[in-house]
Amino acid sequence: MAEYFHSVTLDKDACRGCITCVKRCPTEAIRVRDGKARIIAERCIDCGECIRVCPHHAKHAVTDPLSEIEKYKYKVVLPPPSLFGQYKRQEDLELIRAALCELGFDAVYEVAAAAELVSDATRRMLEEGELIKPVISSACPAVLRLIRIRFPHLLKNVLPLSAPMEVAARLAREKAVAVTGFKPEEIGIVFITPCPAKATAIKNPMGTEISGVDLAVSVSEIYPALLTAMNKCALEGTGPDTSQSGRMGLSWGNSGGEAAATFTVRYLAADGIENVIKVLEEMEDDRLADQDFVELNACPAGCVGGVLNIENPYVAATRMKHLRSYRPVACNNLSGDSVPKELLWDAEVAPIDALRLDPLPERSLEMMREIEKIEKSLYGLDCGSCGAPSCRALAEDIVLGFSTEDACIYLLKDKVDAVRSSMLSLKIDSRDKSGDK
Amino acid sequence: MSENSLHYHYVVPGDDFTRAGIASSAVKKTLKQLGIYPETVRKLSISLFEGEINMVIHADGGEIDVWIDDEKIVAELVDKGPGIENIELAMQEGWSTASEQVRGLGFGAGMGLPNMKKYSDELIIDSTVGVGTKVTLIVNIVK
């Protein structure tokens, strides 16, 4: 298997080896080794918490530079709903659409439009009654990877539908081919990503073999150029409204939007990775059995809280509420009676075995006994100075062979104290002896 | 249990719903690291949580011991609560002696013991009125 691509990466020169990210990583995937943070690839879910909290801006999301779009004959941009909340003074979506074309894109396909199709499909599937309830949204790739690693039992509850980004990519390419007559590979599908998890999901898609998106350009990169273009377009005046999505699709950018669009009242929406974990723990123990739908977003307030966005998530969410008020309820519906199979997952989303200590159960048990023993010998201060998030994590690292007890500064201090005591007593002995001479 | 089994001890404080679930969460995490089959983890987690909540609601807390070896997970929940007067009745779904206050919190639906039975392979209840209750639940590890 090819090595898993992670969008979240470290700038070694900027990293000071403090343990802020180590402590805040929700999957305990970061350690400081030799003075620098290291990400344990198999545990990382690309949620972006470390990017959010790093005081030295040493964590980055790898995305594609905007200049890459020049590789393609015809460029289609996919703005996510949350992008529309990034800018002030908008009463329609047309200004951003026009400004995106000003930046060199030939066409715009709103992800919110595809989201309305996914919502329609979700409603139909909930009504058909064949899904295992509570149904968990599959739209947030960080949450989906978290479930694969930590809550494999809940994979059967996950909605087996492509995320709006993927649906938008496929429809946008089909449309572009029809309009231009170009070959599909001559069309560039460019997603403006609010988070590293989406950038990772394009390289390592879940539920499909190959992503329909060619490039992921970050909101933070496009933001200033888009602002300039918007100002220019505003002066020149924009044409008639050509936007493709309604309130329902746009509301996917906020926590609760996708869930509300299922039309069930028995839904729960949680946002922020720590809250998401708590809800998944409850679900795993059957304590949310009375819910139909559970929407989970790794970022606070939903995709508007994506770490690559510029605007404060709550300000952006308020703006989007305002924008939505000018829109019809929905602009896109599925035709026909059944859910088109192109919307369904066509690849298995399997559990990821990243927590197990050893493939052999007896060996795991033996290692766990060792971990418990070492943990008891540590001070339990969870100071993080060893580079692990807690004493427990250090004990695990020692048994897994990634660290040693000397990494603990308190144990080391005890050792130094012991050496000092024996040195002192040695010195007295030798003076007595020399005195005899 | 064999000598080589893992052993954990937890103290469940009485009347503190915020801390109920600590033992089941901790054991769940350990079982996942041991690579135990997810359905087995879930069974233990659900039944142990119910037991913890029962201790908080009815018995002013108690103590939990958990042993894990390569064949089974054994949890022993001991409290000095009022004891269960009629175990047969208590095992019926929906039967509860929980106070209105507790029900108002969403607990006390009378599913505690039935769920512990449903989500374990063996459930032994040893209770004396006025002395306390010892619940032993066993979940076999599927290989």
Side-chain angles (χ1 to χ4, degrees):
Chain A
M1 201 177 100
E3 203 173 316
Y4 192 89
F5 166 87
H6 280 290
S7 172
V8 175
T9 42
L10 178 81
D11 173 355
K12 273 200 174 155
D13 295 333
C15 178
R16 300 267 300 270
C18 77
I19 47 141
T20 309
C21 62
V22 172
K23 281 282 202 184
R24 291 285 294 275
C25 174
T27 58
E28 296 195 335
I30 312 175
R31 299 289 184 274
V32 171
R33 296 264 181 277
D34 302 323
K36 302 287 173 189
R38 299 225 182 131
I39 301 170
I40 304 168
E42 56 175 0
R43 291 188 191 173
C44 173
I45 58 168
D46 288 287
C47 66
E49 276 304 301
C50 54
I51 299 178
R52 221 185 288 280
V53 301
C54 178
H56 310 292
H57 307 287
K59 286 275 175 32
H60 293 288
V62 174
T63 51
D64 300 302
L66 184 59
S67 55
E68 285 279 292
I69 67 169
E70 298 309 329
K71 290 197 301 199
Y72 299 94
K73 262 184 159 169
Y74 188 82
K75 307 133 189 119
V76 187
V77 63
L78 311 184
S82 56
L83 183 69
F84 297 102
Q86 299 302 306
Y87 297 94
K88 283 180 202 160
R89 292 192 305 275
Q90 291 178 83
E91 290 187 350
D92 57 43
L93 311 180
E94 206 49 43
L95 189 56
I96 287 191
R97 291 178 58 94
L100 286 166
C101 293
E102 181 70 26
L103 290 183
F105 290 104
D106 300 297
V108 180
Y109 199 104
E110 291 161 29
V111 175
E116 292 182 348
L117 298 177
V118 176
S119 285
D120 194 351
T122 309
R123 287 194 296 274
R124 289 172 190 221
M125 289 170 82
L126 281 171
E127 204 163 303
E128 280 164 15
E130 286 179 20
L131 298 173
I132 298 171
K133 289 182 184 175
V135 175
I136 306 173
S137 159
S138 53
C140 175
V143 170
L144 191 48
R145 189 166 157 86
L146 174 74
I147 294 173
R148 295 174 71 192
I149 293 174
R150 204 162 143 184
F151 302 95
H153 190 80
L154 293 173
L155 278 173
K156 64 178 181 5
N157 294 60
V158 176
L159 183 66
L161 283 175
S162 296
M165 175 184 79
E166 288 297 340
V167 175
R170 194 170 47 75
L171 295 173
R173 194 180 306 271
E174 279 171 15
K175 195 173 164 188
V177 167
V179 168
T180 63
F182 293 157
K183 293 177 195 151
E185 62 271 22
E186 290 173 324
I187 314 269
I189 305 291
V190 184
F191 179 67
I192 306 297
T193 188
C195 68
K198 284 283 185 194
T200 298
I202 290 163
K203 298 279 200 299
N204 312 281
M206 289 183 274
T208 181
E209 295 294 344
I210 299 162
S211 171
V213 180
D214 298 304
L215 299 171
V217 174
S218 74
V219 174
S220 51
E221 185 191 338
I222 209 169
Y223 182 89
L226 191 56
L227 183 61
T228 308
M230 281 170 74
N231 288 335
K232 183 165 178 256
C233 292
L235 280 174
E236 289 167 359
T238 51
D241 178 28
T242 58
S243 52
Q244 303 148 316
S245 44
R247 292 180 195 186
M248 197 180 280
L250 288 167
S251 68
W252 272 64
N254 301 49
S255 176
E258 180 193 0
T262 63
F263 295 170
T264 171
V265 286
R266 285 188 297 271
Y267 75 78
L268 177 154
D271 50 274
I273 193 71
E274 294 296 341
N275 296 325
V276 165
I277 290 171
K278 282 181 193 157
V279 169
L280 288 169
E281 291 271 357
E282 297 253 331
M283 285 189 78
E284 195 174 42
D285 293 356
D286 258 2
R287 296 204 288 275
L288 290 175
D290 53 347
Q291 298 298 314
D292 287 336
F293 193 83
V294 174
E295 178 190 329
L296 302 171
N297 290 290
C299 294
C303 295
V304 284
V307 74
L308 300 177
N309 282 331
I310 302 295
E311 190 52 274
N312 173 296
Y314 299 92
V315 173
T318 303
R319 280 195 198 136
M320 290 188 54
K321 190 171 68 184
H322 176 73
L323 255 177
R324 284 199 300 270
S325 66
Y326 293 92
R327 304 294 307 159
V329 173
C331 304
N332 302 272
N333 283 296
L334 293 172
S335 52
D337 292 333
S338 58
V339 173
K341 72 173 192 317
E342 296 81 41
L343 255 61
L344 295 166
W345 280 353
D346 56 15
E348 195 200 357
V349 176
I352 300 171
D353 201 3
L355 297 180
R356 187 201 290 250
L357 296 168
D358 192 272
L360 286 172
E362 310 83 59
R363 179 81 189 108
S364 289
L365 207 60
E366 203 178 296
M367 289 167 89
M368 188 60 83
R369 276 194 294 274
E370 194 57 26
I371 290 168
E372 304 294 343
K373 207 173 93 189
I374 295 172
E375 192 188 1
K376 281 196 185 92
S377 77
L378 300 171
Y379 279 76
L381 297 171
D382 294 341
C383 70
S385 300
C386 62
S390 63
C391 295
R392 169 72 185 196
L394 174 63
E396 290 172 9
D397 288 353
I398 292 171
V399 171
L400 290 166
F402 302 136
S403 193
T404 62
E405 289 188 9
D406 288 344
C408 173
I409 56 164
Y410 291 93
L411 287 187
L412 197 63
K413 183 178 161 289
D414 289 347
K415 270 194 190 174
V416 171
D417 279 347
V419 171
R420 194 183 55 186
S421 311
S422 62
M423 291 275 280
L424 280 175
S425 60
L426 273 175
K427 205 174 161 193
I428 293 162
D429 284 351
S430 60
R431 192 166 56 195
D432 286 350
K433 275 183 185 165
S434 64
D436 286 344
K437 278 183 183 168
Chain B
M1 294 302 283
S2 67
E3 233 172 74
N4 281 332
S5 60
L6 287 164
H7 174 235
Y8 300 91
H9 182 77
Y10 305 94
V11 175
V12 181
D15 258 349
D16 187 353
F17 285 93
T18 61
R19 283 172 66 184
I22 281 175
S24 51
S25 297
V27 174
K28 186 157 81 173
K29 194 180 170 209
T30 302
L31 293 177
K32 284 181 184 181
Q33 286 182 304
L34 293 174
I36 305 288
Y37 184 57
E39 185 57 36
T40 308
V41 177
R42 201 173 81 99
K43 274 168 76 175
L44 192 276
S45 179
I46 295 174
S47 52
L48 189 56
F49 179 80
E50 292 286 4
E52 273 183 84
I53 285 287
N54 272 350
M55 281 179 151
V56 175
I57 296 175
H58 300 288
D60 197 26
E63 297 194 16
I64 298 177
D65 284 282
V66 178
W67 293 270
I68 304 166
D69 67 15
D70 53 2
E71 285 180 351
K72 59 187 180 299
I73 308 145
V74 177
E76 217 175 74
L77 300 90
V78 180
D79 68 58
K80 295 192 175 88
I84 305 168
E85 220 163 288
N86 186 334
I87 292 176
E88 210 177 307
L89 207 54
M91 291 303 296
Q92 283 177 20
E93 289 188 8
W95 194 87
S96 177
T97 57
S99 66
E100 276 306 312
Q101 191 204 346
V102 164
R103 284 164 189 260
L105 292 168
F107 297 101
M111 292 305 289
L113 284 173
N115 267 343
M116 287 167 78
K117 174 109 186 138
K118 187 175 162 191
Y119 292 103
S120 62
D121 293 303
E122 211 175 317
L123 181 73
I124 306 153
I125 304 171
D126 182 3
S127 188
T128 312
V129 174
V131 178
T133 302
K134 180 171 124 180
V135 175
T136 309
L137 58 90
I138 300 171
V139 173
N140 295 325
I141 289 173
V142 182
K143 284 183 189 170

Coordinates of all heavy atoms in Angstrom, one line a residue, chain A residues 63-97:
Chain A
T63 N -1.6 22.0 0.7 CA -2.6 22.1 -0.3 C -2.0 22.5 -1.6 O -0.7 22.6 -1.7 CB -3.7 23.2 0.1 OG1 -3.0 24.4 0.4 CG2 -4.5 22.8 1.3
D64 N -2.7 22.6 -2.7 CA -2.2 22.9 -4.0 C -2.1 24.4 -4.2 O -3.1 25.1 -3.9 CB -3.0 22.2 -5.1 CG -3.0 20.7 -4.9 OD1 -2.0 20.1 -4.9 OD2 -4.2 20.1 -4.8
P65 N -1.0 24.8 -4.8 CA -1.0 26.3 -5.2 C -2.0 26.6 -6.3 O -2.2 25.8 -7.2 CB 0.5 26.5 -5.6 CG 1.0 25.2 -5.9 CD 0.2 24.2 -5.2
L66 N -2.5 27.8 -6.2 CA -3.5 28.2 -7.2 C -3.0 28.2 -8.6 O -3.7 27.9 -9.6 CB -4.0 29.7 -6.9 CG -5.1 30.2 -7.7 CD1 -6.4 29.4 -7.6 CD2 -5.4 31.7 -7.3
S67 N -1.7 28.4 -8.8 CA -1.0 28.4 -10.1 C -1.2 27.1 -10.8 O -1.1 27.0 -12.1 CB 0.4 28.8 -10.0 OG 1.1 27.9 -9.1
E68 N -1.4 26.0 -10.1 CA -1.5 24.7 -10.6 C -2.7 24.6 -11.6 O -2.7 23.7 -12.5 CB -1.7 23.6 -9.5 CG -0.5 23.3 -8.8 CD 0.4 22.3 -9.5 OE1 -0.1 21.1 -9.6 OE2 1.5 22.7 -10.0
I69 N -3.7 25.5 -11.5 CA -4.9 25.4 -12.3 C -4.5 25.6 -13.8 O -5.2 25.1 -14.7 CB -6.0 26.4 -11.9 CG1 -5.6 27.8 -12.2 CG2 -6.4 26.1 -10.5 CD1 -6.8 28.8 -12.0
E70 N -3.3 26.2 -14.0 CA -2.9 26.5 -15.4 C -2.7 25.2 -16.2 O -2.6 25.2 -17.4 CB -1.7 27.4 -15.5 CG -1.9 28.8 -14.9 CD -3.2 29.5 -15.4 OE1 -3.6 29.2 -16.6 OE2 -3.8 30.2 -14.7
K71 N -2.5 24.0 -15.5 CA -2.3 22.8 -16.2 C -3.5 22.3 -17.0 O -3.4 21.4 -17.8 CB -2.0 21.7 -15.1 CG -0.7 21.8 -14.4 CD -0.4 20.4 -13.7 CE -1.4 20.0 -12.7 NZ -0.9 19.0 -11.7
Y72 N -4.6 22.9 -16.7 CA -5.9 22.4 -17.3 C -6.4 23.4 -18.4 O -6.3 24.6 -18.2 CB -6.9 22.2 -16.2 CG -6.5 21.1 -15.2 CD1 -5.8 21.5 -14.0 CD2 -6.6 19.8 -15.5 CE1 -5.4 20.6 -13.1 CE2 -6.2 18.8 -14.6 CZ -5.6 19.2 -13.4 OH -5.1 18.3 -12.5
K73 N -7.0 22.8 -19.4 CA -7.6 23.6 -20.5 C -8.8 24.3 -20.0 O -9.1 25.5 -20.4 CB -8.0 22.6 -21.6 CG -7.0 22.5 -22.7 CD -7.7 21.6 -23.8 CE -7.0 21.8 -25.2 NZ -7.5 20.7 -26.1
Y74 N -9.6 23.7 -19.1 CA -10.9 24.3 -18.7 C -10.9 24.0 -17.2 O -10.8 22.9 -16.7 CB -12.0 23.6 -19.4 CG -13.4 24.3 -19.2 CD1 -13.8 25.4 -19.9 CD2 -14.3 23.7 -18.2 CE1 -15.0 25.9 -19.7 CE2 -15.5 24.3 -18.0 CZ -15.9 25.4 -18.8 OH -17.2 26.0 -18.6
K75 N -11.1 25.1 -16.4 CA -11.0 25.0 -15.0 C -12.4 25.3 -14.3 O -12.9 26.4 -14.5 CB -10.0 26.1 -14.4 CG -8.6 26.0 -15.1 CD -8.1 27.4 -15.5 CE -6.9 27.3 -16.4 NZ -7.1 27.9 -17.7
V76 N -12.8 24.3 -13.5 CA -14.0 24.5 -12.8 C -13.7 24.6 -11.3 O -13.0 23.8 -10.7 CB -15.0 23.4 -13.0 CG1 -16.4 23.7 -12.4 CG2 -15.1 23.1 -14.5
V77 N -14.2 25.6 -10.6 CA -14.0 25.8 -9.2 C -15.2 25.3 -8.4 O -16.3 25.6 -8.8 CB -13.6 27.3 -8.9 CG1 -14.7 28.2 -9.2 CG2 -13.2 27.4 -7.4
L78 N -14.9 24.7 -7.3 CA -16.0 24.2 -6.4 C -15.9 25.0 -5.1 O -15.1 24.6 -4.2 CB -15.9 22.7 -6.1 CG -15.7 21.7 -7.2 CD1 -15.7 20.3 -6.7 CD2 -16.8 21.8 -8.3
P79 N -16.6 26.0 -4.9 CA -16.6 26.7 -3.6 C -17.5 26.0 -2.6 O -18.6 25.7 -2.9 CB -17.2 28.1 -3.9 CG -18.0 27.9 -5.1 CD -17.5 26.7 -5.9
P80 N -17.0 25.7 -1.4 CA -17.8 25.1 -0.4 C -18.8 26.2 0.2 O -18.5 27.4 0.1 CB -16.8 24.6 0.7 CG -15.7 25.6 0.6 CD -15.6 26.0 -0.9
P81 N -19.9 25.7 0.8 CA -20.8 26.7 1.4 C -20.1 27.7 2.3 O -20.4 28.9 2.3 CB -21.8 25.8 2.2 CG -21.6 24.5 1.6 CD -20.3 24.3 1.0
S82 N -19.1 27.2 3.1 CA -18.5 28.1 4.1 C -17.7 29.2 3.5 O -17.5 30.2 4.2 CB -17.6 27.2 5.0 OG -16.6 26.5 4.3
L83 N -17.3 29.1 2.3 CA -16.6 30.2 1.6 C -17.4 31.5 1.6 O -16.9 32.6 1.7 CB -16.1 29.8 0.2 CG -15.3 30.9 -0.5 CD1 -13.9 31.0 0.1 CD2 -15.1 30.5 -2.0
F84 N -18.7 31.3 1.4 CA -19.6 32.5 1.3 C -19.7 33.3 2.6 O -20.3 34.4 2.6 CB -21.0 32.1 0.8 CG -20.9 31.5 -0.6 CD1 -21.0 30.1 -0.8 CD2 -20.8 32.3 -1.7 CE1 -20.9 29.5 -2.1 CE2 -20.7 31.7 -3.0 CZ -20.7 30.4 -3.2
G85 N -19.3 32.7 3.7 CA -19.4 33.4 5.0 C -18.1 34.1 5.3 O -18.0 34.7 6.4
Q86 N -17.1 34.1 4.4 CA -15.8 34.7 4.7 C -15.7 36.2 4.5 O -14.8 36.8 4.9 CB -14.7 34.0 3.9 CG -14.6 32.5 4.2 CD -14.3 32.2 5.6 OE1 -13.3 32.7 6.2 NE2 -15.1 31.4 6.3
Y87 N -16.7 36.7 3.7 CA -16.6 38.1 3.2 C -17.8 38.9 3.7 O -18.9 38.4 3.7 CB -16.4 38.1 1.7 CG -15.2 37.5 1.2 CD1 -15.2 36.2 0.8 CD2 -14.0 38.2 1.2 CE1 -14.0 35.6 0.3 CE2 -12.8 37.6 0.7 CZ -12.9 36.3 0.3 OH -11.7 35.7 -0.2
K88 N -17.5 40.2 3.9 CA -18.6 41.1 4.4 C -19.4 41.6 3.2 O -19.0 41.4 2.0 CB -17.9 42.3 5.0 CG -17.4 42.1 6.4 CD -16.8 43.4 6.9 CE -15.8 43.1 8.0 NZ -14.9 44.2 8.3
R89 N -20.5 42.3 3.5 CA -21.3 43.0 2.5 C -21.7 42.2 1.3 O -21.4 42.5 0.2 CB -20.5 44.2 2.0 CG -20.3 45.3 3.1 CD -19.8 46.6 2.4 NE -18.6 46.4 1.7 CZ -17.4 46.4 2.2 NH1 -17.2 46.7 3.4 NH2 -16.3 46.3 1.4
Q90 N -22.3 41.1 1.5 CA -22.8 40.3 0.4 C -24.3 40.1 0.6 O -24.7 39.7 1.7 CB -22.2 38.9 0.3 CG -20.8 38.9 0.0 CD -20.4 37.4 0.1 OE1 -20.6 36.7 -0.9 NE2 -19.9 37.0 1.2
E91 N -25.1 40.3 -0.5 CA -26.5 40.0 -0.4 C -26.8 38.9 -1.4 O -27.9 38.4 -1.4 CB -27.3 41.2 -0.6 CG -27.1 42.1 0.6 CD -28.0 43.3 0.6 OE1 -28.7 43.6 -0.4 OE2 -28.1 44.0 1.7
D92 N -25.9 38.5 -2.2 CA -26.1 37.3 -3.0 C -24.8 36.6 -3.3 O -23.7 37.0 -2.8 CB -26.8 37.7 -4.4 CG -25.9 38.7 -5.2 OD1 -24.7 38.5 -5.2 OD2 -26.5 39.6 -5.7
L93 N -24.9 35.5 -3.9 CA -23.7 34.7 -4.1 C -22.9 35.1 -5.4 O -21.9 34.6 -5.7 CB -24.0 33.2 -4.3 CG -25.0 32.6 -3.2 CD1 -25.3 31.2 -3.4 CD2 -24.4 32.8 -1.8
E94 N -23.6 36.0 -6.2 CA -23.1 36.3 -7.5 C -21.7 37.0 -7.5 O -20.9 36.7 -8.3 CB -24.1 37.2 -8.2 CG -24.1 37.1 -9.7 CD -24.1 35.7 -10.2 OE1 -24.9 34.9 -9.7 OE2 -23.3 35.4 -11.2
L95 N -21.5 37.8 -6.4 CA -20.2 38.5 -6.4 C -19.0 37.5 -6.3 O -18.0 37.7 -7.0 CB -20.2 39.5 -5.2 CG -19.1 40.5 -5.1 CD1 -19.0 41.3 -6.4 CD2 -19.3 41.4 -3.9
I96 N -19.2 36.6 -5.4 CA -18.1 35.6 -5.3 C -18.0 34.7 -6.5 O -16.9 34.5 -7.0 CB -18.3 34.7 -4.0 CG1 -18.0 35.5 -2.7 CG2 -17.4 33.4 -4.0 CD1 -17.9 34.7 -1.5
R97 N -19.1 34.4 -7.1 CA -19.0 33.6 -8.3 C -18.3 34.4 -9.4 O -17.4 33.8 -10.1 CB -20.5 33.3 -8.8 CG -21.2 32.3 -7.9 CD -22.6 32.1 -8.4 NE -22.6 31.5 -9.8 CZ -22.6 30.3 -10.1 NH1 -22.7 29.3 -9.2 NH2 -22.6 29.9 -11.4

